[in-house]
Amino acid sequence: MIKFLLGESRPLEFEITQKDNEPFVIRDSSYELYKDNVVVDSGNMEISDHILSYIFTPESRGFYLFKFTYTIGESTRAAQYHINVD
């Protein structure tokens, strides 16, 4: 779980790696941010080499779910993280 304080604004950054250490390119990445099972934000993540990032600025306290997908070659992968804002 990722923790934030209300009023913070900072990047969520995810480094993508491959098991076989072969070179790869992330073609695209998108995200959805949920609060109380409702999408409150969505769009494309910033891609910098093998790092995906999104600037998170929570507007209220509570629990959020951040889901993202990204494409490498013919493969589309997904991940999700829970965020607690105090």
Side-chain angles (χ1 to χ4, degrees):
M1 178 173 295
I2 302 169
K3 294 188 177 197
F4 270 74
L5 294 175
L6 188 61
E8 283 188 300
S9 181
R10 61 181 179 169
L12 298 174
E13 295 183 326
F14 306 95
E15 183 174 9
I16 308 303
T17 60
Q18 294 269 73
K19 284 184 181 180
D20 56 12
N21 290 326
E22 291 291 319
F24 66 95
V25 173
I26 301 171
R27 291 190 327 197
D28 58 63
S29 181
S30 61
Y31 69 88
E32 291 183 328
L33 178 66
Y34 294 82
K35 185 164 191 306
D36 301 324
N37 294 321
V38 175
V39 175
V40 294
D41 193 14
S42 64
N44 295 318
M45 295 181 73
E46 182 178 323
I47 302 169
S48 178
D49 196 24
H50 297 150
I51 306 267
L52 301 176
S53 63
Y54 165 75
I55 301 296
F56 181 53
T57 306
E59 295 185 7
S60 62
R61 289 181 170 86
F63 293 96
Y64 292 79
L65 178 63
F66 185 76
K67 293 182 179 184
F68 65 95
T69 61
Y70 57 96
T71 304
I72 298 174
E74 299 297 317
S75 176
T76 299
R77 301 167 189 194
Q80 68 180 23
Y81 290 88
H82 296 273
I83 303 169
N84 180 17
V85 177
D86 285 330

